[in-house]
Amino acid sequence: MLGDEKILFSGMQATGSLTLGNYLGALKNWVNLADEYTTFYCVVDEHSITVRQDPAELRKRARNLLMLYIAAGIDPEKNCLYYQSHVSGHAELAWILNCFTYMGELQRMTQFKDKSAKHADNINAGLFTYPVLMAADILLYQADVVPVGKDQLQHLELTRDIANRFNAIYGDVFTVPEPYLGKLGARIMSLQDPAKKMSKSDENPNASIYLMDDADTVMRKFKRAVTDSEACVAYRDEQPGLKNLLDIYCACTDKTPEEAVKEFEGKGYGELKTAVGESVVAVLTPLQNEFHRLEKEKDYIDKIIKQNAEKAGYYSSKTLRKVQKKIGFPEKIR
Ligand code: ATP
Ligand code: LTN
């Protein structure tokens, strides 16, 4: 159906503003994967409502995220970029898979534990079954590989368990997906606490570089970045703040840590911070320009959204129909 190419699926939530971590750790690495795989990159807006959202804000963020995918260089003609809520098969398959997932399995998910602690006033059933919807996303496209960060590996393992359980009962219906381990993306840490990862939900705006931050803001945040009192530029675990700055510099300039350390040998932290800031601005400026250009291309973006939703709908309906038939749902009379 999709030729011989393997299928790759990934998604991001449209909550919060994307950070440099999301870009260097995920988006940037997604750009060329279409050369090797048939790729689906979803804006998972249905996952977003597991925590309360303002409707206008959610709509805007979802569209911005889709435009950021494109601005980052993911070609919408070669990659299927679409909204989860435009393809009803995600929710339909999720319901079915709910009936093949155990309460105990979901209770063990660390993200559920973390998020219910954070949103103690709204521990809804959707938050609990979040991983089942994620399994549906992946299995609906018969994905072979799923690029995700470490924090999502537990959900991917559950997806594999659900797929194997279903296949054991009904025959080989689902492809059992593997995590994508290609070239591991950089793991970018908080600028204020290098023991924590940079995250879009951090309350301290100085901890993260947002993809839409202007040059002055970027330079200011790096100037304030936490380092150490060793006064010596080195790339080692004992100096995590500095290591993070060098990681960012290397990811933005395609240099190796050895090259970077040599470049800043004997120089002060101030000089290093300025150089890192400038390297980030050089990466963000073209991305922001492209994003602002796309903002004006309303018809073009609308066309992409429509076409890709149709494409995703077409592929997903094949799996869904097969699943419905295997389970014993009566066939539609056409
Ligand atoms: P939240 O703070 O809302 O949990 P997040 O910033 O951690 O969000 P996710 O939406 O969970 O981001 O992740 C989107 C993608 O970005 C994932 O593939 C994840 O691995 C990657 N990612 C997120 N933060 C970083 C980071 N600091 N470094 C590298 N990759 C990251
Ligand atoms: N849970 C993921 C987002 C996500 C996803 C997916 C990733 C939803 N569905 C399917 C890969 C495949 C997250 O929070 N990063």
Side-chain angles (χ1 to χ4, degrees), residues 9-13 44 47 111 130 134 137-138 146-148 151-152 155:
F9 186 99
S10 199
M12 263 195 213
Q13 288 204 62
V44 293
H47 278 107
Q111 182 175 299
Y130 177 114
M134 179 162 162
D137 296 342
I138 297 167
V146 182
V148 278
D151 56 321
Q152 295 298 316
H155 288 166

Side-chain angles (χ1 to χ4, degrees), residues 12 21-22 25-26 149 151 186-188 197-201:
M12 263 195 213
N22 298 130
D151 56 321
R187 186 169 160 79
I188 306 302
K197 76 163 191 168
M198 186 182 285
S199 152
K200 39 182 154 66
S201 51

Side-chain angles (χ1 to χ4, degrees), residues 193-240:
D193 177 1
K196 266 181 16 192
K197 76 163 191 168
M198 186 182 285
S199 152
K200 39 182 154 66
S201 51
D202 202 310
E203 295 100 47
N204 181 353
N206 288 323
S208 306
I209 301 288
Y210 299 105
L211 295 188
M212 287 298 144
D213 278 348
D214 61 31
D216 287 349
T217 308
V218 171
M219 297 306 288
R220 182 173 45 78
K221 286 184 181 176
F222 277 111
K223 231 170 247 160
R224 289 191 187 166
V226 169
T227 47
D228 52 61
S229 50
E230 305 255 337
C232 161
V233 175
Y235 184 80
R236 54 193 203 113
D237 292 341
E238 292 75 13
Q239 291 173 261

